[in-house]
Amino acid sequence: MLSQKFYIGVEQADMRRFRANSWSDCGVIKVTQEGEAIAAIAQLLQRYLHQYVRLFSINPGTRQRGSGLVIQQPLEK
């Protein structure tokens, strides 16, 4: 995403909202360095430790959203 000059959007959902496909916005990561992006994502993963988290690309010129990728799932109880 960064190599294509896209921003990184982040959303989270608990199990109930995940089943309903109702994600909550966690913000946009607007950095250019890979290390900064990884650090920001790591913080979000810790904040939403027991929830689903997904990333998606955002074209800064057109504000169009790209496809999403779930990068974290809650642990089974």
Side-chain angles (χ1 to χ4, degrees):
M1 290 181 203
L2 295 178
S3 65
Q4 296 174 335
K5 307 287 188 224
F6 289 164
Y7 295 150
I8 301 170
V10 184
E11 296 176 321
Q12 60 84 20
D14 59 21
M15 287 188 156
R16 182 180 62 84
R17 291 185 181 276
F18 178 78
R19 286 192 297 270
N21 199 29
S22 177
W23 294 82
S24 297
D25 182 40
C26 295
V28 177
I29 300 172
K30 297 179 181 180
V31 298
T32 57
Q33 301 298 318
E34 185 177 308
E36 294 173 341
I38 290 170
I41 292 168
Q43 287 179 342
L44 287 167
L45 292 176
Q46 284 299 313
R47 184 182 306 164
Y48 301 108
L49 189 59
H50 301 290
Q51 297 182 19
Y52 290 89
V53 176
R54 74 175 170 188
L55 303 179
F56 56 92
S57 61
I58 301 172
N59 183 325
T62 62
R63 299 280 193 209
Q64 287 186 324
R65 174 188 178 128
S67 60
L69 173 67
V70 176
I71 63 167
Q72 176 172 281
Q73 297 180 6
L75 298 174
E76 295 289 329
K77 291 184 178 181

